[in-house]
Amino acid sequence: MSRVFGLIGRSGSGKTSLIEALLPCFAAQGLRVNVIKHSHHDVQLEPPSKDSARFRSAGAAEVLLATPYRFAIFHELHDAPEPGLDAQLARLAPADLTLVEGYKRFAIPRLEVYRPALGLVPLYPELPELLAVASDQAIDTTLPVLDLNQPAFIAAFILESLQSHA
């Protein structure tokens, strides 16, 4: 299984933008990287009138939509509990690293993306197991504070952290 590293933070803090900036840094090192994004919302991946949505609506447990460009598996839970992070990781193709956005209650190495200008309460005081905070400003914490505008440095920190926590 690949190494797993998480990024958490309040909505609008820049988690997705940071992951987007990290991916080319890892790719430049020849690493294959998967990403899991957890959402609490009922995300609609296509209009209800499309074939695969109609199949799911009619009761299919899973629908695989395949094109020459990509494929997607839609798995309807039908009131079953949401699978945990381990189950989601097991569904992915092999990779050198899997970045996880969200799933803040799962015990994986991770950092918080925090922007004080948003005026939101940080998570790091309530999550002492965090390895660092990535921010665009200096903050008062005993954790390492990584410059959010330096994704190559953050990528190196992630890889180093995974080596030391292996």
Side-chain angles (χ1 to χ4, degrees):
M1 183 185 292
S2 76
R3 298 173 291 174
V4 179
F5 194 92
L7 291 92
I8 61 169
R10 303 285 183 194
S11 180
S13 63
K15 300 176 300 293
T16 298
S17 295
L18 178 55
I19 290 173
E20 189 176 22
L22 290 171
L23 290 169
C25 297
F26 293 127
Q29 297 181 52
L31 299 176
R32 179 182 169 97
V33 181
N34 290 334
V35 177
I36 293 178
K37 177 178 175 67
H38 185 255
S39 177
H40 295 285
H41 306 287
D42 183 7
V43 177
Q44 296 302 314
L45 303 174
E46 63 178 355
S49 62
K50 290 295 187 181
D51 296 350
S52 58
R54 291 172 56 197
F55 298 149
R56 293 189 328 273
S57 180
E62 282 192 339
V63 175
L64 188 144
L65 173 61
T67 75
Y69 309 101
R70 68 193 54 85
F71 69 89
I73 297 174
F74 301 92
H75 180 99
E76 293 296 318
L77 293 177
H78 297 293
D79 297 324
E82 177 183 3
L85 180 57
D86 288 341
Q88 302 297 20
L89 287 165
R91 294 187 74 97
L92 293 176
D96 301 303
L97 170 64
T98 299
L99 298 175
V100 177
E101 182 179 327
Y103 281 112
K104 69 181 176 190
R105 300 292 176 215
F106 284 82
I108 58 173
R110 62 179 170 231
L111 61 79
E112 177 181 2
V113 177
Y114 177 63
R115 292 181 189 269
L118 292 176
L120 301 173
V121 177
L123 298 170
Y124 61 85
E126 65 189 63
L127 298 171
E129 71 278 6
L130 286 171
L131 300 181
V133 178
S135 184
D136 57 353
Q137 296 180 26
I139 56 174
D140 183 23
T141 178
T142 58
L143 292 169
V145 179
L146 310 174
D147 184 347
L148 194 50
N149 298 309
Q150 298 293 322
F153 180 77
I154 296 172
F157 176 87
I158 289 171
L159 293 176
E160 183 179 305
S161 296
L162 290 171
Q163 291 288 21
S164 65
H165 286 90

